[in-house]
Amino acid sequence: MADFELDPRLAADTHAVADWPVSRVLLMDDARFPWLILVPRVAGARELHALPEATRAALFDEVVRAAAALERATGATKMNVAALGNLVPQLHVHVIARHEGDAAWPGPVWGMPGSQPRAEGPRRELLARFEAALPSGATAP
Amino acid sequence: MADFELDPRLAADTHAVADWPVSRVLLMDDARFPWLILVPRVAGARELHALPEATRAALFDEVVRAAAALERATGATKMNVAALGNLVPQLHVHVIARHEGDAAWPGPVWGMPGSQPRAEGPRRELLARFEAALPSGATAP
């Protein structure tokens, strides 16, 4: 995975959280939604079905792990999990904790105007809750 | 899976395509987008991470298989794969072939007004191309 480079738009819109075995885990810089993005560190990856099978299975495991922990950390009404990539084709998977009545509810979060940057305190607090909710209690699987 | 019942809203918005080992495969009745929905036939399922591990792995395989075939069948610019469920909590996975310049491009398809029912001829033609693009050449894996 030596040639992997995070897309500049993803880099600009997020805070880096951790590198898991397959994914770079990012936190979207929008305080309205607890919103992680998992980017497999595979150069040139665009589509889930085009990933090597073992990499894809490991990515899915990491997505499921992130969704379970973010749900526990936030008490979400519903988790949204999605690989879209119409604007940023680098393969990335959104893991978003949705709450009834949140700024986009019940619609999707993408393209909602009015993004609110995260203050450092609430960001650290959310990530601490997320990490505590991971099955192993640590950031890396 | 004896107690599984398809959510009435999903049933009303789609045509049934096939029952694969885990999923009921549906075609969204909106001619603007080649849009499949895979619903695991598991009563009460709401979240990917809460599915039994073997069921989830089989569902992911079916999602990947559907995405690869729908991409081949349509020449999509980008596949969109998503489990949202804010409106219909029954677990279902969208597999949507997106084309640059389509009715929602580059935004997401959900909640776009102006749905256009599919005429029978184009619907049959799309499904025939989809089935021909499946790795085995048949509808069931």
Side-chain angles (χ1 to χ4, degrees):
Chain A
M1 305 184 183
D3 296 320
F4 170 78
E5 278 188 43
L6 186 62
D7 179 277
R9 178 155 174 177
L10 288 177
D13 290 349
T14 64
H15 299 275
V17 174
D19 270 4
W20 286 359
V22 168
S23 312
R24 179 154 302 167
V25 182
L26 307 169
L27 176 67
M28 193 73 171
D29 191 24
D30 187 339
R32 300 173 300 172
F33 309 105
W35 181 347
L36 299 172
I37 297 179
L38 272 65
V39 185
R41 298 192 307 284
V42 177
R46 285 175 43 96
E47 296 282 1
L48 288 170
H49 59 268
L51 281 181
E53 194 168 335
T55 306
R56 184 169 62 230
L59 171 63
F60 283 156
D61 283 349
E62 293 180 5
V63 166
V64 161
R65 190 168 185 272
L70 193 61
E71 181 189 53
R72 278 195 295 271
T74 63
T77 308
K78 188 73 189 67
M79 296 304 298
N80 290 178
V81 174
L84 305 180
N86 306 333
L87 288 167
V88 173
Q90 180 174 69
L91 183 58
H92 59 286
V93 182
H94 301 271
V95 176
I96 310 158
R98 303 299 307 277
H99 293 84
E100 203 170 335
D102 70 26
W105 187 265
V109 298
W110 302 280
M112 280 284 299
S115 173
Q116 297 170 8
R118 288 184 194 276
E120 188 181 346
R123 172 164 60 85
R124 284 175 186 264
E125 199 265 334
L126 173 62
L127 289 176
R129 275 187 290 139
F130 171 65
E131 290 175 21
L134 288 168
S136 67
T139 306
Chain B
M1 305 185 183
D3 296 321
F4 171 77
E5 277 186 43
L6 186 62
D7 179 276
R9 178 156 173 177
L10 288 177
D13 290 349
T14 64
H15 300 275
V17 174
D19 270 4
W20 287 358
V22 168
S23 312
R24 179 153 301 166
V25 182
L26 307 169
L27 176 67
M28 193 73 169
D29 190 25
D30 187 338
R32 299 173 300 172
F33 309 105
W35 180 348
L36 299 173
I37 297 178
L38 273 63
V39 185
R41 298 193 306 285
V42 177
R46 286 175 42 96
E47 296 283 1
L48 288 170
H49 59 268
L51 281 180
E53 194 168 337
T55 306
R56 184 169 63 230
L59 170 63
F60 283 157
D61 283 349
E62 292 181 5
V63 166
V64 162
R65 190 168 185 273
L70 194 61
E71 182 190 53
R72 278 194 294 273
T74 63
T77 309
K78 187 73 190 67
M79 297 304 297
N80 290 177
V81 174
L84 304 181
N86 305 333
L87 288 166
V88 173
Q90 180 174 69
L91 183 59
H92 59 287
V93 182
H94 300 272
V95 176
I96 310 158
R98 304 299 308 275
H99 293 83
E100 203 170 337
D102 70 25
W105 187 265
V109 299
W110 302 280
M112 279 284 298
S115 173
Q116 297 169 8
R118 289 183 192 279
E120 189 181 346
R123 172 165 61 86
R124 283 175 186 266
E125 200 264 336
L126 172 62
L127 289 176
R129 275 187 290 137
F130 171 66
E131 289 176 21
L134 287 167
S136 66
T139 305

